Amino acid sequence: MYGNRKQICHQLNKLFIGDEPLAVLFWTEASIAEACGQFDPTPEEAIAVLQAVGNIPYERYQAEGVDPARFPELLSAHRETLTKKVAVPEAWLRVLIDHAGNDIQLQTEMAWQSGMATPFSITRSEYQLNELKALLGPEPATTEDEN
């Protein structure tokens, strides 16, 4: 299970009756960071590994256990997902960028209309979208036949 104390207690209450004997092992951000210490994980990376550990299927950890010696492997896998590159047709990417830009604009306007500041996640997404646009460069010119 992964979550905060309140979420985990709620899940346990749903899964087990009150007097059922259990053995519960806990991993925390600090214990994950310590197990991965030689790889110097950031707090965000430690939480990502903690989440991966908490999401190990029940059957798997019952059969294999949860070995902290594998935590660096989970950290490495997380880091790879952050730098993974994929090939996508440019036209598809430009369509997605346009849709994402429209969504960001809408969410920004909704925040302003409700008197709130633009959430950081929206600001970050807008920055990332602009970085992606810069990487793609200007849109290729279209001919009259394509319109």
Side-chain angles (χ1 to χ4, degrees):
M1 284 180 210
Y2 172 78
N4 62 36
R5 183 191 56 80
K6 201 179 268 189
Q7 293 166 329
I8 289 174
C9 287
H10 179 72
Q11 289 176 359
L12 289 172
N13 283 333
K14 287 181 4 184
L15 294 172
F16 303 100
I17 59 175
D19 60 351
E20 185 172 351
L22 300 172
V24 181
L25 306 173
F26 291 97
W27 294 101
T28 65
E29 178 184 342
S31 61
I32 297 287
E34 184 176 322
C36 297
Q38 66 195 35
F39 300 99
D40 197 28
T42 65
E44 293 80 14
E45 290 174 329
I47 289 172
V49 172
L50 183 64
Q51 191 170 14
V53 169
N55 289 327
I56 294 172
Y58 177 80
E59 298 79 18
R60 185 168 150 211
Y61 73 74
Q62 286 287 301
E64 301 172 15
V66 178
D67 183 0
R70 292 198 55 226
F71 293 175
E73 177 186 325
L74 293 172
L75 175 61
S76 178
H78 170 71
R79 287 176 173 171
E80 285 178 20
T81 64
L82 298 177
T83 59
K84 182 177 178 181
K85 297 188 184 333
V86 295
V88 177
E90 181 180 343
W92 293 6
L93 192 52
R94 289 192 185 277
V95 168
L96 292 173
I97 288 170
D98 287 343
H99 285 287
N102 291 339
D103 188 54
I104 288 170
Q105 183 178 1
L106 178 63
Q107 289 186 40
T108 300
E109 289 172 5
M110 289 171 48
W112 289 350
Q113 289 173 357
S114 64
M116 298 172 54
T118 303
F120 174 72
S121 61
I122 300 301
T123 305
R124 183 183 61 228
S125 296
E126 185 174 29
Y127 172 81
Q128 291 168 335
L129 199 60
N130 289 332
E131 288 289 307
L132 187 55
K133 285 180 183 178
L135 287 171
L136 282 174
E139 284 194 55
T142 58
T143 64
E144 287 296 317
D145 294 337
E146 294 176 318
N147 292 329

